[in-house]
């Protein structure tokens, strides 16, 4: 068996980077055998910020540098792996690698969703592919599935739980009754959260992944500035409890749906989902992506969406692919210049709306009448009463509302907010039936 060794330049030796090192130490021989010698991989340079930091994985000290560009410029490096995160230094590194004609493997969804247009153009120009399986849903091979396995389908919809950190936090709040800060700390300690967890909890990490999936499915780069995104930071234990009382769970859902006229509805937000829906049983760090193709019908991809092992597993799969064929048409070459996105105000679902109110006669009637004036139907109400003290003032009033466009609901709620019985802004969750 003849064997060509591909030299790897690894930028980043944190949670994922050190996981890649460990997999290659453990399974390097197996990987080489499986690829008939075409993917013998050797890490030849590792860039980090701090050389003195104590690390779990024991790579030789002489491989380390703090100069990111060494990872690209070292002539012994054939493939560059970017696992430093962020959109600035990572952009410069990836752009330099592509200009040098070196294939890139990255797990950086923020970089590709926000600056992909420039990088994919460089990739095309220099015939150097960008592989990014690890950027979406950790260990689940969803990029290859959408790009390759489902290539014969028009993708009608993608519905995903694609941020492990927020899913873990919501579950710990639901099942262990933890407060938001304690649940977040656990997710960080487990290596699920980003170095800066802001993007995990404000919905943007999931939105970046949805943008990548939507772009692959529909052939044009979706502009992240046009995408509607809400996070889980404001989800309260009260709404989680009410959801449960009403037969729902709260999940951070990312949706990419092709509407009849060909426009794409894309949004990420915490939503109510029936406890009976298959995605309701996706717990903790697990992710799931439900893809509907016009010929395939429904399919579901499920697995660990974050953490060292699953993510490094995806990076190694891309490394093998890069070493094996070095095809320059890998990565993403848009095949449409642009596409149309649906305005968020035109998207329709049912809703859960919680009003915090003072207990005074006519409150329910006033709210109901405003909703009726805007032709919004009420399918149910929920207002827990203290069984031992039925005369106690009610302060939380939940309305379940029939399907209507989001813009119509916003207009009605603006009017409700002007009522003096409201003590806080209404809390709105979409109820997704998918
Ligand atoms: P991490 O644990 O914070 O590791 C980042 C690594 O990059 C560290 O080794 C750090 O050096 C190095 N680094 C950062 N900036 C640098 C710079 N300017 N120059 C040189 N080295 C630099 O991050 P991670 O969790 O491994 O994530 C890495 C990437 O994978 C991110 O894009 C993330 O979104 C993506 N990802 C992560 C997961 C996950 O579960 N963690 C899953 C999927 C995708 P020091 O060690 O010296 O600080
Ligand atoms: N922070 C991300 C998450 C890592 O929690 O899903 C995987 O992309």
């Amino acid at each position: 068996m003849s064997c060509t060794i591909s030299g790897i330049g690894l930028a980043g030796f944190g949670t994922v980077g050190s996981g890649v090192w460990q997999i290659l130490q453990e399974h390097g021989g197996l990987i080489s055998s499986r690829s008939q010698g075409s993917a013998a991989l050797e890490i030849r340079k590792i860039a980090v910020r701090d050389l003195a930091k104590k690390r779990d994985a024991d790579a030789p000290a002489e491989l380390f540098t703090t100069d990111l560009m060494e990872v690209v410029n070292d002539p012994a490096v054939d493939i560059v792996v970017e696992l430093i995160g962020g959109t600035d230094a990572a952009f410069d590194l990836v752009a330099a690698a592509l200009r040098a004609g070196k294939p890139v493997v990255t797990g950086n969804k923020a970089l590709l969703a926000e600056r992909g247009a420039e990088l994919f153009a460089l990739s095309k120009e220099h015939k150097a592919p960008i592989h990014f399986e690890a950027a979406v849903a950790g260990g689940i091979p969803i990029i290859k599935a959408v790009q390759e396995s489902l290539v014969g389908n028009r993708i009608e919809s993608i519905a995903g739980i694609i941020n492990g950190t927020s899913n873990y936090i919501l579950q710990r709040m639901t099942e262990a009754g933890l407060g938001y800060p304690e649940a977040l700390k656990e997710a960080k300690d487990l290596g699920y959260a980003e170095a800066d967890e802001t993007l995990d909890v404000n919905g943007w990490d999931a939105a970046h992944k949805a943008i990548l999936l939507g772009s692959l499915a529909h052939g044009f780069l979706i502009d992240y500035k046009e995408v509607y995104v809400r996070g889980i930071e404001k989800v309260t234990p009260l709404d989680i409890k009410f959801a449960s009382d009403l037969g729902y769970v709260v999940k951070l859902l990312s949706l990419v749906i092709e509407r009849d006229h060909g426009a794409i509805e894309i949004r990420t937000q915490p939503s109510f989902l029936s406890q009976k829906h298959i995605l309701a049983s996706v717990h903790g760090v697990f992710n799931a992506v439900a893809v509907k193709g016009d010929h395939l019908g429904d399919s579901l991809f499920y697995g660990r969406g974050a953490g060292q092992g699953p993510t490094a597993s995806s990076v190694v799969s891309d490394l093998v692919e890069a070493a094996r064929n070095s095809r320059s048409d890998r990565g993403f070459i848009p095949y449409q210049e642009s596409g149309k996105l649906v305005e968020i105000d035109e998207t329709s679902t049912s809703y859960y709306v919680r009003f915090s109110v003072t207990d005074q006669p006519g409150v329910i009637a006033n709210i109901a009448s405003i909703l009726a004036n805007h032709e919004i139907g009420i399918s149910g109400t929920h207002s827990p009463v203290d069984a031992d003290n039925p005369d106690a003032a009610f302060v939380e009033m939940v309305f379940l509302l029939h399907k209507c466009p989001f813009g119509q609901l916003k207009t009605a709620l603006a009017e409700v907010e002007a009522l003096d019985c409201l003590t806080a802004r209404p809390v709105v969750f979409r109820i997704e039936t998918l």
Side-chain angles (χ1 to χ4, degrees):
M1 181 174 79
S2 72
C3 180
T4 316
I5 299 178
S6 295
I8 313 296
L10 182 58
F13 204 69
T15 304
V16 186
S18 61
V20 171
W21 170 267
Q22 285 169 20
I23 292 182
L24 293 184
Q25 294 312 296
E26 202 178 320
H27 294 316
L30 179 67
I31 291 166
S32 175
S33 308
R34 280 180 174 162
S35 61
Q36 309 291 306
S38 63
L41 307 169
E42 185 176 293
I43 294 181
R44 293 183 172 153
K45 194 56 74 186
I46 301 174
V48 292
R49 248 177 329 213
D50 177 3
L51 289 176
K53 196 187 249 184
K54 188 160 169 15
R55 300 179 191 277
D56 295 337
D58 55 347
E62 63 270 19
L63 294 186
F64 283 83
T65 175
T66 54
D67 178 0
L68 271 180
M69 286 306 155
E70 269 193 58
V71 159
V72 174
N73 296 333
D74 188 325
V77 166
D78 305 300
I79 303 167
V80 173
V81 182
E82 183 278 306
L83 292 170
I84 64 173
T87 53
D88 295 326
F91 178 89
D92 295 340
L93 175 83
V94 170
L98 297 172
R99 285 194 186 97
K102 299 191 180 186
V104 170
V105 175
T106 178
N108 193 334
K109 50 271 168 172
L111 176 68
L112 296 182
E114 295 195 6
R115 305 192 68 182
E118 299 154 86
L119 292 175
F120 290 126
L122 278 176
S123 164
K124 189 175 175 187
E125 183 185 344
H126 296 278
K127 297 193 176 1
I130 306 174
H131 302 260
F132 51 99
E133 187 64 72
V136 181
I140 306 174
I142 188 67
I143 299 291
K144 286 187 183 69
V146 172
Q147 276 195 306
E148 296 175 21
S149 316
L150 305 183
V151 73
N153 286 260
R154 228 189 59 242
I155 305 292
E156 295 177 348
S157 68
I158 299 174
I161 294 174
I162 46 181
N163 180 265
T165 301
S166 52
N167 200 47
Y168 181 86
I169 291 172
L170 288 175
Q171 191 206 345
R172 296 292 285 156
M173 286 173 73
T174 306
E175 290 181 3
L178 290 194
Y180 174 83
E182 297 112 287
L184 172 60
K185 183 176 179 313
E186 282 189 5
K188 290 189 81 160
D189 291 346
L190 288 163
Y192 303 155
E194 301 296 305
D196 171 1
E197 73 274 7
T198 313
L199 299 182
D200 287 307
V201 297
N202 71 10
W204 269 102
D205 179 79
H208 286 143
K209 294 167 183 169
I211 287 167
L212 292 176
L213 288 178
S215 298
L216 294 180
H218 297 288
F220 67 97
L221 267 171
I222 293 172
D223 182 350
Y224 75 97
K225 294 190 280 312
E226 289 184 35
V227 173
Y228 181 85
V229 184
R230 294 289 180 272
I232 63 157
E233 319 98 307
K234 292 188 183 149
V235 175
T236 62
L238 184 66
D239 292 309
I240 288 177
K241 181 187 175 312
F242 282 174
S244 171
D245 292 349
L246 294 162
Y248 296 102
V249 289
V250 180
K251 292 285 180 195
L252 183 72
L253 281 183
S254 296
L255 302 177
V256 184
I257 304 168
E258 187 180 51
R259 292 297 172 196
D260 293 343
H261 41 294
I264 307 303
E265 176 174 338
I266 174 165
R267 53 192 169 83
T268 290
Q269 61 197 122
S271 310
F272 275 30
L273 193 61
S274 163
Q275 287 167 355
K276 293 185 194 139
H277 194 281
I278 195 163
L279 291 181
S281 57
V282 176
H283 293 311
V285 73
F286 279 83
N287 280 193
V289 187
V291 184
K292 186 169 186 185
D294 58 349
H295 289 280
L296 167 77
D298 289 308
S299 63
L300 185 68
F301 298 83
Y302 174 78
R304 285 179 198 274
Q308 184 172 65
T311 313
S313 159
S314 285
V315 172
V316 170
S317 132
D318 275 351
L319 272 171
V320 170
E321 192 180 348
R324 262 178 166 171
N325 54 34
S326 293
R327 272 176 52 189
S328 58
D329 61 346
R330 298 320 262 245
F332 177 54
I333 312 277
Y335 53 85
Q336 298 197 71
E337 277 221 338
S338 62
K340 188 170 162 22
L341 301 186
V342 179
E343 291 288 336
I344 194 66
D345 283 355
E346 289 167 18
T347 62
S348 293
T349 55
S350 311
Y351 302 90
Y352 157 105
V353 185
R354 175 166 60 82
F355 298 100
S356 300
V357 292
T358 53
D359 183 13
Q360 62 190 59
V363 166
I364 298 178
N366 287 342
I367 296 175
S369 115
I370 292 175
L371 292 170
N373 289 343
H374 288 272
E375 298 183 351
I376 299 174
I378 299 167
S379 59
T381 58
H382 182 63
S383 172
V385 171
D386 180 349
D388 297 327
N389 188 9
D391 270 340
F394 70 81
V395 288
E396 302 298 342
M397 185 70 231
V398 169
F399 282 58
L400 300 180
L401 303 179
H402 282 300
K403 196 168 181 175
C404 72
F406 187 52
Q408 192 175 332
L409 177 70
K410 277 188 349 197
T411 312
L413 292 186
E415 232 175 271
V416 174
E417 279 185 57
L419 296 174
D420 60 8
C421 59
L422 253 72
T423 58
R425 296 199 67 188
V427 172
V428 179
F429 285 84
R430 286 177 187 259
I431 301 175
E432 300 289 358
T433 48
L434 305 178

